[in-house]
Amino acid sequence: MNALYDVPAPAKLNLFLHVVGKRADGYHLLQSVFTLIDWADTLHFERRADGQLARHDRGASLPEDDLCLRAARLLREETGCTQGADILIDKRLPSGAGMGGGSSDAASTLIALNRLWGLNLSRRRLLALGLKLGADVPFFIGGQNALVEGIGEQLRPVTLPPMQFAVLKPPVSISTQQIFSSPLLAMSESLAIVAGFPASNDLGLNPGLSLELSLGLNAGNSLSRSFGRNDLQNAAEAASQEVVEALNLLKKTFGNSRMTGSGSAVFARVNGEKSILSQALATLLQGVNVKANAVNASADTEASAGWQGEICRSLDQHPLKDWVDDGEKDC
């Protein structure tokens, strides 16, 4: 095998996000349900005979030493592999959105190079490597929608009903550090009790459980009637008026809204024909972008990247789930 093309790196949404404590080292303890969605980056990998690692960007340039290159280097360091690769990234996900785009790219890089280089590391081994790169990376390696706890390393697969979302990203990125250091950061009083879950283990992938009843996510419920909240949302709203505007726009258009992750993307649970929903979102985007461009022109400033949005469907599992062996036969 000399190349792998059209490798997907899907985004995630936090259906809820509770801050439930803080470790001695300063990391906050979280509880959330992550669902995969079909808005994704696309990566391509080609083996290099000279052993070098290189990244090539389609579209906007990424940071020089991004998570994909760090993931490739880590995989070689941990296995003693000397092979190289060209990594081409077609970046479609917005950055600084709280949708896990960079973490998903890193996870797909680990999974794809594990396959391209014939390393045959198990999922458990890749999960441990992913945690070294970032708290969200293990989720994308896990391959399933999950209840996520700790700092992101405790994964318990869950079965969720099919869902559809309107996702809106304003042209602003909010520092995760800024959100977690805000005096407006909310704390949930206790862990949510989800009936039927066994005790979790670090990087554990215990048998799943349907959360349809527990989270109130059946087709008749709007998100506003669903379980939980995002404890980071108040801090993000204080940091950015555009986040407030995005939440209000979705609520006005679709009847509900919530922020994902540490922002700045927000989403609404929607029902209906995708073509009709896409037209409604396109009309919304046209309005906010025309307004933003007019403001920039009057202030004699350059236009920003603009508002972005998609109508997305949830995924039952990660598209690369079957690329990784769940056994323990690491080399």
Side-chain angles (χ1 to χ4, degrees):
M1 186 182 299
N2 291 315
L4 290 169
Y5 298 115
D6 299 316
V7 176
K12 58 85 177 170
L13 295 176
N14 298 74
L15 297 185
F16 68 87
L17 197 165
H18 296 165
V19 180
V20 295
K22 192 173 183 180
R23 299 196 319 192
D25 60 8
Y27 282 95
H28 286 80
L29 297 171
L30 309 176
Q31 185 183 56
S32 183
V33 165
F34 288 9
T35 185
L36 295 157
I37 58 173
D38 61 1
W39 195 358
D41 292 336
T42 303
L43 289 75
H44 312 278
F45 301 86
E46 295 181 351
R47 190 195 302 269
R48 287 180 64 128
D50 62 4
Q52 298 299 306
L53 296 172
R55 195 198 69 236
H56 312 276
D57 302 332
R58 285 184 177 174
S61 296
L62 297 172
E64 183 176 346
D65 189 32
D66 75 326
L67 273 176
C68 289
L69 286 176
R70 289 167 56 192
R73 287 199 306 269
L74 179 63
L75 189 60
R76 294 204 312 182
E77 291 167 2
E78 292 290 326
T79 61
C81 175
T82 59
Q83 299 183 61
D86 284 306
I87 305 170
L88 189 149
I89 303 179
D90 185 358
K91 192 70 180 171
R92 299 172 186 173
L93 294 172
S95 59
M99 298 167 63
S103 295
S104 186
D105 291 345
S108 288
T109 296
L110 286 174
I111 293 169
L113 292 181
N114 184 49
R115 186 180 181 91
L116 183 66
W117 291 339
L119 301 176
N120 299 314
L121 299 187
S122 71
R123 192 179 312 278
R124 183 171 293 276
R125 184 83 177 275
L126 291 177
L127 283 166
L129 294 182
L131 187 59
K132 294 183 179 182
L133 296 167
D136 283 348
V137 179
F139 165 70
F140 294 103
I141 296 171
Q144 296 174 255
N145 298 319
L147 176 71
V148 180
E149 296 181 288
I151 62 169
E153 83 283 11
Q154 297 174 20
L155 304 174
R156 287 186 274 179
V158 297
T159 300
L160 298 169
M163 290 176 281
Q164 197 168 207
F165 304 97
V167 184
L168 183 62
K169 166 65 169 64
V172 62
S173 297
I174 306 174
S175 163
T176 301
Q177 181 179 3
Q178 179 184 6
I179 296 300
F180 277 101
S181 61
S182 170
L184 296 176
L185 178 70
M187 296 279 286
S188 293
E189 293 183 0
S190 61
L191 289 170
I193 303 300
V194 182
F197 270 124
S200 63
N201 297 313
D202 286 358
L203 299 177
L205 291 169
N206 296 318
L209 175 77
S210 173
L211 291 191
E212 184 165 344
L213 296 179
S214 300
L215 298 182
L217 290 169
N218 51 299
N221 279 358
S222 70
L223 189 66
S224 61
R225 293 168 56 197
S226 300
F227 178 83
R229 61 181 186 175
N230 186 333
D231 283 340
L232 310 183
Q233 188 168 308
N234 287 343
E237 290 183 41
S240 172
Q241 183 58 38
E242 288 171 303
V243 170
V244 176
E245 183 178 2
L247 288 161
N248 289 338
L249 285 168
L250 282 191
K251 189 168 186 179
K252 180 179 179 180
T253 306
F254 299 108
N256 63 94
S257 62
R258 182 174 290 177
M259 190 178 77
T260 182
S262 57
S264 59
V266 303
F267 65 97
R269 175 85 188 280
V270 296
N271 293 299
E273 292 293 329
K274 184 172 182 179
S275 60
I276 297 174
L277 294 168
S278 295
Q279 183 57 54
L281 185 59
T283 300
L284 187 159
L285 286 168
Q286 181 180 25
V288 292
N289 278 318
V290 166
K291 177 183 174 182
N293 289 336
V295 170
N296 288 329
S298 64
D300 195 25
T301 59
E302 292 186 7
S304 63
W307 292 68
Q308 298 171 264
E310 289 282 342
I311 300 296
C312 304
R313 290 190 174 95
S314 61
L315 301 176
D316 289 336
Q317 64 179 39
H318 196 288
L320 305 181
K321 183 177 186 295
D322 293 338
W323 283 24
V324 184
D325 194 329
D326 286 321
E328 294 296 330
K329 52 182 183 180
D330 293 326
C331 302

